[in-house]
Amino acid sequence: MHDELVSKFNQIAEGYDKQRRLLIPCFDDFYGISTSLAVTSNETPNILDLGAGTGLLSFRMLEKYPKANLTLIDISEEMMKVAKSRFAGKSNVKYIVQDYTNYIFDNPFDIIVSSLSIHHLEDVSKRQMYQTIFENLKQ
């Protein structure tokens, strides 16, 4: 399943953003509400985007927190290429092509977000992922 998912996302990476607008009826609300709920008092927060894809949610987070340090992790190298184009010239963005369910993060984060990714996990893996998220958040 994992290899199939990687292959699928690698194949659709170029048209992914356009497709999102067609498949998510309230696209702007979907990402806008997610961004509005991500709150920290840190003006230079460390933000992790799990299953970041092309960086749609990360882009919104960077608009809200322009001095943030973003870490995008995704299993698809092609999706990360699109994200790198989106954030070209930004030195505060780190890219990891890896399965976030078994990746060990070095430092805690102020905010951890995910959009349209965790639902791909089996229920047991979701529970484990939420525990990992909790353990990787700053107090």
Side-chain angles (χ1 to χ4, degrees):
M1 174 67 174
H2 178 269
D3 291 338
E4 287 178 34
L5 201 57
V6 172
S7 177
K8 179 181 176 184
F9 281 113
N10 280 338
Q11 290 173 6
I12 65 168
E14 284 297 320
Y16 185 83
D17 290 358
K18 186 176 182 181
Q19 184 189 56
R20 293 301 92 186
R21 282 208 175 271
L22 297 173
L23 295 175
I24 303 171
C26 301
F27 178 88
D28 291 319
D29 289 340
F30 179 80
Y31 287 98
I33 290 169
S34 299
T35 305
S36 72
L37 294 173
V39 179
T40 180
S41 59
N42 187 347
E43 290 183 22
T44 57
N46 291 321
I47 301 174
L48 171 63
D49 189 348
L50 299 168
T54 62
L56 285 169
L57 181 55
S58 290
F59 185 78
R60 300 273 180 123
M61 295 302 297
L62 198 56
E63 286 180 327
K64 182 174 182 176
Y65 296 106
K67 296 178 184 177
N69 295 299
L70 292 176
T71 299
L72 284 68
I73 185 168
D74 198 276
I75 59 172
S76 169
E77 189 169 339
E78 295 302 315
M79 290 286 209
M80 283 282 111
K81 285 181 184 176
V82 175
K84 287 177 183 178
S85 293
R86 170 172 273 121
F87 296 107
K90 301 278 185 191
S91 61
N92 57 336
V93 182
K94 176 181 176 182
Y95 309 92
I96 303 169
V97 179
Q98 188 85 325
D99 180 349
Y100 62 74
T101 63
N102 57 31
Y103 188 82
I104 308 290
F105 296 96
D106 298 336
N107 299 305
F109 296 91
D110 297 289
I111 297 172
I112 299 176
V113 296
S114 184
S115 170
L116 300 172
S117 178
I118 294 175
H119 71 278
H120 290 290
L121 304 177
E122 298 292 328
D123 288 345
V124 171
S125 296
K126 287 176 189 170
R127 282 187 207 94
Q128 292 169 342
M129 192 68 244
Y130 289 127
Q131 182 63 39
T132 299
I133 290 169
F134 180 76
E135 291 168 0
N136 284 281
L137 277 170
K138 292 180 183 175
Q139 291 296 323

